[in-house]
Amino acid sequence: MKMETSLQPSVKDKIAAEAFRLFCRRGIKGTSVDDIAQHLSMSKKTIYKWFSNKDEIVFWAINSYLTSVDTDCERCRQEAPNAIEELFAIMKTTRQVFASIHPSIFYDLQKYHANAWQKWQEYKNHDFLHRIKDNLERGISEGLFRQDLDVEVIARLRLAQIEVPFDETLFPRFQFELLHVQTASLEYFMLGIATLKGHKMINDYKQITEEE
């Protein structure tokens, strides 16, 4: 799937970015166009100049965020010296979002905003899956991940893990911190696929992070 990266008017970008922040804090259903306008100190008329309805705001906000995520993932891939540090770098870039994101965001997307949900599914099942497989293959070639891994299967298992922490039947929001669950999930995944060399690197990284 090709991400939409064409330049758009700055006002539209600002509305989408701020709307996404509100969606993360309050949930999509819990955020109205009035809320977005008030948050931006902007009239609804101005917002409707750029967007025909809330559904379009949601779609643009999600699309813009996924484009940003893809850019961050590519930067992490290029800058990280190895596959394990690449994964930790990606988690670090998304830490701020996961620290404040509302657990109902996937539910709201799926139930009320079909186009935005489809955009997420396409990105997840194509672009993000491809990045997971590339990372696994990189780790195997570096001797950090086990040689016997079935990359196609393991990549899809990791993909499925991404949305699990948002399931409130498993992780009620008042009992579990989303960022902690996501971090634990990533560490569990890495330790399950790592070689002894990889295990040492993961443990060394965790020790440095904890000391910081």
Side-chain angles (χ1 to χ4, degrees), residues 1-5 63 67 70 119 122-123 126-127:
M1 183 192 73
K2 204 170 179 181
M3 299 301 298
E4 295 176 23
T5 56
N63 183 71
T67 300
D70 206 60
K119 171 68 73 173
E122 288 174 359
Y123 176 79
H126 184 273
D127 298 69

mmCIF file with all atom_site columns, all heavy atoms in Angstrom, residues 1-5 63 67 70 119 122-123 126-127:
data_model
loop_
_atom_site.group_PDB
_atom_site.id
_atom_site.type_symbol
_atom_site.label_atom_id
_atom_site.label_alt_id
_atom_site.label_comp_id
_atom_site.label_asym_id
_atom_site.label_entity_id
_atom_site.label_seq_id
_atom_site.pdbx_PDB_ins_code
_atom_site.Cartn_x
_atom_site.Cartn_y
_atom_site.Cartn_z
_atom_site.occupancy
_atom_site.B_iso_or_equiv
_atom_site.pdbx_formal_charge
_atom_site.auth_seq_id
_atom_site.auth_comp_id
_atom_site.auth_asym_id
_atom_site.auth_atom_id
_atom_site.pdbx_PDB_model_num
ATOM 1   N N   . MET A 1 1   ? 0.838  -1.178 0.000  1.00 0.00 ? 1   MET A N   1
ATOM 2   C CA  . MET A 1 1   ? 0.000  0.000  0.000  1.00 0.00 ? 1   MET A CA  1
ATOM 3   C C   . MET A 1 1   ? 0.882  1.240  0.000  1.00 0.00 ? 1   MET A C   1
ATOM 4   O O   . MET A 1 1   ? 1.862  1.331  0.707  1.00 0.00 ? 1   MET A O   1
ATOM 5   C CB  . MET A 1 1   ? -0.872 0.037  1.253  1.00 0.00 ? 1   MET A CB  1
ATOM 6   C CG  . MET A 1 1   ? -1.830 1.209  1.283  1.00 0.00 ? 1   MET A CG  1
ATOM 7   S SD  . MET A 1 1   ? -2.570 1.392  2.924  1.00 0.00 ? 1   MET A SD  1
ATOM 8   C CE  . MET A 1 1   ? -1.162 2.045  3.823  1.00 0.00 ? 1   MET A CE  1
ATOM 9   N N   . LYS A 1 2   ? 0.549  2.218  -0.806 1.00 0.00 ? 2   LYS A N   1
ATOM 10  C CA  . LYS A 1 2   ? 1.319  3.432  -0.895 1.00 0.00 ? 2   LYS A CA  1
ATOM 11  C C   . LYS A 1 2   ? 0.767  4.445  0.092  1.00 0.00 ? 2   LYS A C   1
ATOM 12  O O   . LYS A 1 2   ? -0.407 4.734  0.096  1.00 0.00 ? 2   LYS A O   1
ATOM 13  C CB  . LYS A 1 2   ? 1.241  3.970  -2.315 1.00 0.00 ? 2   LYS A CB  1
ATOM 14  C CG  . LYS A 1 2   ? 2.409  4.850  -2.689 1.00 0.00 ? 2   LYS A CG  1
ATOM 15  C CD  . LYS A 1 2   ? 2.364  5.119  -4.168 1.00 0.00 ? 2   LYS A CD  1
ATOM 16  C CE  . LYS A 1 2   ? 3.527  6.028  -4.541 1.00 0.00 ? 2   LYS A CE  1
ATOM 17  N NZ  . LYS A 1 2   ? 3.528  6.332  -5.947 1.00 0.00 ? 2   LYS A NZ  1
ATOM 18  N N   . MET A 1 3   ? 1.657  4.994  0.928  1.00 0.00 ? 3   MET A N   1
ATOM 19  C CA  . MET A 1 3   ? 1.215  5.981  1.892  1.00 0.00 ? 3   MET A CA  1
ATOM 20  C C   . MET A 1 3   ? 1.030  7.323  1.207  1.00 0.00 ? 3   MET A C   1
ATOM 21  O O   . MET A 1 3   ? 1.758  7.656  0.270  1.00 0.00 ? 3   MET A O   1
ATOM 22  C CB  . MET A 1 3   ? 2.250  6.138  3.024  1.00 0.00 ? 3   MET A CB  1
ATOM 23  C CG  . MET A 1 3   ? 2.489  4.870  3.808  1.00 0.00 ? 3   MET A CG  1
ATOM 24  S SD  . MET A 1 3   ? 1.001  4.228  4.568  1.00 0.00 ? 3   MET A SD  1
ATOM 25  C CE  . MET A 1 3   ? 0.587  5.565  5.666  1.00 0.00 ? 3   MET A CE  1
ATOM 26  N N   . GLU A 1 4   ? 0.047  8.119  1.683  1.00 0.00 ? 4   GLU A N   1
ATOM 27  C CA  . GLU A 1 4   ? -0.203 9.427  1.118  1.00 0.00 ? 4   GLU A CA  1
ATOM 28  C C   . GLU A 1 4   ? 0.765  10.418 1.739  1.00 0.00 ? 4   GLU A C   1
ATOM 29  O O   . GLU A 1 4   ? 0.699  10.721 2.915  1.00 0.00 ? 4   GLU A O   1
ATOM 30  C CB  . GLU A 1 4   ? -1.653 9.849  1.388  1.00 0.00 ? 4   GLU A CB  1
ATOM 31  C CG  . GLU A 1 4   ? -2.650 8.962  0.684  1.00 0.00 ? 4   GLU A CG  1
ATOM 32  C CD  . GLU A 1 4   ? -4.080 9.341  1.045  1.00 0.00 ? 4   GLU A CD  1
ATOM 33  O OE1 . GLU A 1 4   ? -4.306 10.501 1.454  1.00 0.00 ? 4   GLU A OE1 1
ATOM 34  O OE2 . GLU A 1 4   ? -4.949 8.483  0.910  1.00 0.00 ? 4   GLU A OE2 1
ATOM 35  N N   . THR A 1 5   ? 1.703  10.925 0.904  1.00 0.00 ? 5   THR A N   1
ATOM 36  C CA  . THR A 1 5   ? 2.745  11.792 1.429  1.00 0.00 ? 5   THR A CA  1
ATOM 37  C C   . THR A 1 5   ? 2.760  13.158 0.760  1.00 0.00 ? 5   THR A C   1
ATOM 38  O O   . THR A 1 5   ? 3.654  13.948 0.994  1.00 0.00 ? 5   THR A O   1
ATOM 39  C CB  . THR A 1 5   ? 4.125  11.127 1.255  1.00 0.00 ? 5   THR A CB  1
ATOM 40  O OG1 . THR A 1 5   ? 4.300  10.814 -0.142 1.00 0.00 ? 5   THR A OG1 1
ATOM 41  C CG2 . THR A 1 5   ? 4.227  9.852  2.060  1.00 0.00 ? 5   THR A CG2 1
ATOM 42  N N   . ASN A 1 63  ? -4.317 8.612  8.770  1.00 0.00 ? 63  ASN A N   1
ATOM 43  C CA  . ASN A 1 63  ? -3.402 8.526  7.642  1.00 0.00 ? 63  ASN A CA  1
ATOM 44  C C   . ASN A 1 63  ? -2.120 9.318  7.904  1.00 0.00 ? 63  ASN A C   1
ATOM 45  O O   . ASN A 1 63  ? -1.009 8.837  7.636  1.00 0.00 ? 63  ASN A O   1
ATOM 46  C CB  . ASN A 1 63  ? -4.078 9.044  6.370  1.00 0.00 ? 63  ASN A CB  1
ATOM 47  C CG  . ASN A 1 63  ? -3.181 8.895  5.149  1.00 0.00 ? 63  ASN A CG  1
ATOM 48  O OD1 . ASN A 1 63  ? -2.937 7.802  4.672  1.00 0.00 ? 63  ASN A OD1 1
ATOM 49  N ND2 . ASN A 1 63  ? -2.681 10.020 4.657  1.00 0.00 ? 63  ASN A ND2 1
ATOM 50  N N   . THR A 1 67  ? 1.698  7.761  8.295  1.00 0.00 ? 67  THR A N   1
ATOM 51  C CA  . THR A 1 67  ? 2.803  8.266  7.483  1.00 0.00 ? 67  THR A CA  1
ATOM 52  C C   . THR A 1 67  ? 3.979  8.639  8.371  1.00 0.00 ? 67  THR A C   1
ATOM 53  O O   . THR A 1 67  ? 5.138  8.339  8.073  1.00 0.00 ? 67  THR A O   1
ATOM 54  C CB  . THR A 1 67  ? 2.361  9.495  6.660  1.00 0.00 ? 67  THR A CB  1
ATOM 55  O OG1 . THR A 1 67  ? 1.283  9.119  5.793  1.00 0.00 ? 67  THR A OG1 1
ATOM 56  C CG2 . THR A 1 67  ? 3.506  10.032 5.811  1.00 0.00 ? 67  THR A CG2 1
ATOM 57  N N   . ASP A 1 70  ? 5.639  5.461  9.695  1.00 0.00 ? 70  ASP A N   1
ATOM 58  C CA  . ASP A 1 70  ? 6.451  4.827  8.665  1.00 0.00 ? 70  ASP A CA  1
ATOM 59  C C   . ASP A 1 70  ? 7.792  5.545  8.510  1.00 0.00 ? 70  ASP A C   1
ATOM 60  O O   . ASP A 1 70  ? 8.838  4.904  8.359  1.00 0.00 ? 70  ASP A O   1
ATOM 61  C CB  . ASP A 1 70  ? 5.689  4.826  7.340  1.00 0.00 ? 70  ASP A CB  1
ATOM 62  C CG  . ASP A 1 70  ? 6.127  3.690  6.435  1.00 0.00 ? 70  ASP A CG  1
ATOM 63  O OD1 . ASP A 1 70  ? 5.999  2.521  6.849  1.00 0.00 ? 70  ASP A OD1 1
ATOM 64  O OD2 . ASP A 1 70  ? 6.601  3.976  5.316  1.00 0.00 ? 70  ASP A OD2 1
ATOM 65  N N   . LYS A 1 119 ? -7.770 1.746  6.336  1.00 0.00 ? 119 LYS A N   1
ATOM 66  C CA  . LYS A 1 119 ? -6.427 2.310  6.154  1.00 0.00 ? 119 LYS A CA  1
ATOM 67  C C   . LYS A 1 119 ? -5.440 1.687  7.135  1.00 0.00 ? 119 LYS A C   1
ATOM 68  O O   . LYS A 1 119 ? -4.328 1.309  6.769  1.00 0.00 ? 119 LYS A O   1
ATOM 69  C CB  . LYS A 1 119 ? -6.487 3.832  6.343  1.00 0.00 ? 119 LYS A CB  1
ATOM 70  C CG  . LYS A 1 119 ? -5.144 4.526  6.392  1.00 0.00 ? 119 LYS A CG  1
ATOM 71  C CD  . LYS A 1 119 ? -4.421 4.480  5.072  1.00 0.00 ? 119 LYS A CD  1
ATOM 72  C CE  . LYS A 1 119 ? -5.043 5.409  4.066  1.00 0.00 ? 119 LYS A CE  1
ATOM 73  N NZ  . LYS A 1 119 ? -4.250 5.488  2.814  1.00 0.00 ? 119 LYS A NZ  1
ATOM 74  N N   . GLU A 1 122 ? -4.755 -1.997 6.159  1.00 0.00 ? 122 GLU A N   1
ATOM 75  C CA  . GLU A 1 122 ? -3.877 -2.079 4.995  1.00 0.00 ? 122 GLU A CA  1
ATOM 76  C C   . GLU A 1 122 ? -2.436 -1.793 5.382  1.00 0.00 ? 122 GLU A C   1
ATOM 77  O O   . GLU A 1 122 ? -1.515 -2.491 4.954  1.00 0.00 ? 122 GLU A O   1
ATOM 78  C CB  . GLU A 1 122 ? -4.336 -1.097 3.911  1.00 0.00 ? 122 GLU A CB  1
ATOM 79  C CG  . GLU A 1 122 ? -5.631 -1.509 3.218  1.00 0.00 ? 122 GLU A CG  1
ATOM 80  C CD  . GLU A 1 122 ? -6.126 -0.453 2.255  1.00 0.00 ? 122 GLU A CD  1
ATOM 81  O OE1 . GLU A 1 122 ? -5.466 0.614  2.148  1.00 0.00 ? 122 GLU A OE1 1
ATOM 82  O OE2 . GLU A 1 122 ? -7.170 -0.679 1.622  1.00 0.00 ? 122 GLU A OE2 1
ATOM 83  N N   . TYR A 1 123 ? -2.250 -0.755 6.203  1.00 0.00 ? 123 TYR A N   1
ATOM 84  C CA  . TYR A 1 123 ? -0.894 -0.430 6.632  1.00 0.00 ? 123 TYR A CA  1
ATOM 85  C C   . TYR A 1 123 ? -0.309 -1.557 7.477  1.00 0.00 ? 123 TYR A C   1
ATOM 86  O O   . TYR A 1 123 ? 0.830  -1.987 7.274  1.00 0.00 ? 123 TYR A O   1
ATOM 87  C CB  . TYR A 1 123 ? -0.888 0.875  7.446  1.00 0.00 ? 123 TYR A CB  1
ATOM 88  C CG  . TYR A 1 123 ? 0.487  1.200  7.987  1.00 0.00 ? 123 TYR A CG  1
ATOM 89  C CD1 . TYR A 1 123 ? 1.458  1.772  7.170  1.00 0.00 ? 123 TYR A CD1 1
ATOM 90  C CD2 . TYR A 1 123 ? 0.831  0.887  9.304  1.00 0.00 ? 123 TYR A CD2 1
ATOM 91  C CE1 . TYR A 1 123 ? 2.728  2.034  7.641  1.00 0.00 ? 123 TYR A CE1 1
ATOM 92  C CE2 . TYR A 1 123 ? 2.098  1.158  9.790  1.00 0.00 ? 123 TYR A CE2 1
ATOM 93  C CZ  . TYR A 1 123 ? 3.044  1.722  8.953  1.00 0.00 ? 123 TYR A CZ  1
ATOM 94  O OH  . TYR A 1 123 ? 4.309  1.961  9.429  1.00 0.00 ? 123 TYR A OH  1
ATOM 95  N N   . HIS A 1 126 ? 0.351  -4.873 5.429  1.00 0.00 ? 126 HIS A N   1
ATOM 96  C CA  . HIS A 1 126 ? 1.289  -4.793 4.307  1.00 0.00 ? 126 HIS A CA  1
ATOM 97  C C   . HIS A 1 126 ? 2.595  -4.117 4.743  1.00 0.00 ? 126 HIS A C   1
ATOM 98  O O   . HIS A 1 126 ? 3.626  -4.765 4.886  1.00 0.00 ? 126 HIS A O   1
ATOM 99  C CB  . HIS A 1 126 ? 0.661  -4.040 3.131  1.00 0.00 ? 126 HIS A CB  1
ATOM 100 C CG  . HIS A 1 126 ? 1.533  -4.018 1.918  1.00 0.00 ? 126 HIS A CG  1
ATOM 101 N ND1 . HIS A 1 126 ? 2.502  -3.058 1.723  1.00 0.00 ? 126 HIS A ND1 1
ATOM 102 C CD2 . HIS A 1 126 ? 1.594  -4.842 0.834  1.00 0.00 ? 126 HIS A CD2 1
ATOM 103 C CE1 . HIS A 1 126 ? 3.138  -3.291 0.589  1.00 0.00 ? 126 HIS A CE1 1
ATOM 104 N NE2 . HIS A 1 126 ? 2.595  -4.362 0.024  1.00 0.00 ? 126 HIS A NE2 1
ATOM 105 N N   . ASP A 1 127 ? 2.533  -2.816 4.979  1.00 0.00 ? 127 ASP A N   1
ATOM 106 C CA  . ASP A 1 127 ? 3.745  -2.054 5.289  1.00 0.00 ? 127 ASP A CA  1
ATOM 107 C C   . ASP A 1 127 ? 4.415  -2.520 6.583  1.00 0.00 ? 127 ASP A C   1
ATOM 108 O O   . ASP A 1 127 ? 5.624  -2.769 6.615  1.00 0.00 ? 127 ASP A O   1
ATOM 109 C CB  . ASP A 1 127 ? 3.413  -0.561 5.406  1.00 0.00 ? 127 ASP A CB  1
ATOM 110 C CG  . ASP A 1 127 ? 2.878  0.010  4.109  1.00 0.00 ? 127 ASP A CG  1
ATOM 111 O OD1 . ASP A 1 127 ? 1.743  -0.367 3.734  1.00 0.00 ? 127 ASP A OD1 1
ATOM 112 O OD2 . ASP A 1 127 ? 3.557  0.825  3.473  1.00 0.00 ? 127 ASP A OD2 1
#
